[in-house]
Amino acid sequence: GAVVSQHPSWVICKSGTSVKIECRSLDFQATTMFWYRQFPKQSLMLMATSNEGSKATYEQGVEKDKFLINHASLTLSTLTVTSAHPEDSSFYICSAHGQGSPGNTIYFGEGSWLTVV
Amino acid sequence: DAKTTQPPSMDCAEGRAANLPCNHSTISGNEYVYWYRQIHSQGPQYIIHGLKNNETNEMASLIITEDRKSSTLILPHATLRDTAVYYCIVRVYPISGGYQKVTFGTGTKLQVIP
């Protein structure tokens, strides 16, 4: 069964609006979560690393004010795409790691398709 | 970060073993080799990982060379459902501590042929 769950699986939003994607770890406490984006036929690109209770660390070139990450609890991290534009349309994936994660490894969510129209 | 290199694509006949190579010549002594796969439009699925010993689970086997500079993922009896992009990654430690971030290369697109 799923170890990390993402919601929604897909979302369509209008340009200029904000959209929130949730990432939940099931059955273990995720002290660290990672957010990726993936464009068609490309590999996953790491956007940011978030540790529970602290500010996220963003990769170079990723706008922290546009991609707001909140990791307020050990089982939930959220990514909010603010003032979305069509170029933000992508596949967003989260992953989680923490004590108690099966095999002490990193697990990924099912991904969320964002389409901005 | 230790970088990995993989062939961009491979074909395998259904029922045969699929052997996917990965080079990680700059891997550090405390870095693990992980394999994930991504079926179209889904999140990556964990397959297997290892440090220096060969590993086997219900999905696959992982063979790591003695010098740890390369590894091979083996799917013993490939099925059509194994068609996916396979990623070989190594885990790195961020300077500030905490869990290592994971970065992906381009992976190998495995096509299992009937």
Side-chain angles (χ1 to χ4, degrees):
Chain A
V3 181
V4 176
S5 177
Q6 266 184 256
H7 178 80
S9 299
W10 57 272
V11 57
I12 301 173
C13 71
K14 293 183 178 180
S15 289
T17 62
S18 296
V19 61
K20 181 184 289 186
I21 300 171
E22 295 184 346
C23 178
R24 296 182 183 273
S25 60
L26 308 177
D27 300 326
F28 72 97
Q29 295 181 330
T31 49
T32 301
M33 286 186 170
F34 306 92
W35 286 95
Y36 298 81
R37 65 188 299 182
Q38 184 177 33
F39 294 107
K41 297 185 179 181
Q42 295 186 21
S43 186
L44 287 78
M45 184 191 78
L46 180 65
M47 299 176 67
T49 303
S50 73
N51 293 300
E52 187 267 337
S54 62
K55 291 184 178 180
T57 302
Y58 289 82
E59 295 298 303
Q60 190 173 8
V62 178
E63 300 176 59
K64 62 180 182 180
D65 294 330
K66 180 169 182 62
F67 299 99
L68 301 179
I69 293 172
N70 184 285
H71 192 168
S73 79
L74 287 172
T75 59
L76 175 64
S77 176
T78 60
L79 168 68
T80 302
V81 182
T82 63
S83 187
H85 288 94
E87 56 264 33
D88 297 324
S89 298
S90 186
F91 190 48
Y92 291 87
I93 307 167
C94 72
S95 67
H97 190 192
Q99 290 187 350
S101 62
N104 192 31
T105 189
I106 297 173
Y107 289 88
F108 290 80
E110 309 95 326
S112 300
W113 283 100
L114 170 62
T115 300
V116 184
V117 298
Chain B
D1 296 3
K3 295 183 178 180
T4 63
T5 56
Q6 300 176 253
S9 64
M10 290 181 64
D11 290 339
C12 177
E14 187 179 16
R16 304 296 293 271
N19 297 284
L20 294 92
C22 178
N23 286 320
H24 31 79
S25 58
T26 59
I27 190 171
S28 299
N30 58 356
E31 290 179 319
Y32 287 72
V33 180
Y34 280 76
W35 283 84
Y36 288 83
R37 72 181 182 184
Q38 187 179 27
I39 297 171
H40 182 61
S41 299
Q42 298 182 23
Q45 176 190 21
Y46 166 76
I47 301 174
I48 198 168
H49 74 280
L51 182 62
K52 53 184 178 181
N53 297 322
N54 298 336
E55 303 288 344
T56 296
N57 63 20
E58 64 277 6
M59 290 183 67
S61 294
L62 174 60
I63 308 298
I64 303 175
T65 58
E66 190 170 346
D67 63 7
R68 301 209 325 123
K69 293 185 177 181
S70 66
S71 61
T72 301
L73 178 74
I74 301 172
L75 307 178
H77 304 288
T79 70
L80 298 178
R81 288 178 293 182
D82 292 324
T83 293
V85 178
Y86 287 77
Y87 294 99
C88 164
I89 61 174
V90 294
R91 298 175 69 180
V92 299
Y93 287 93
I95 296 174
S96 58
Y99 289 104
Q100 311 97 319
K101 65 180 180 180
V102 174
T103 55
F104 285 77
T106 55
T108 296
K109 184 175 183 179
L110 175 68
Q111 181 70 50
V112 180
I113 302 170

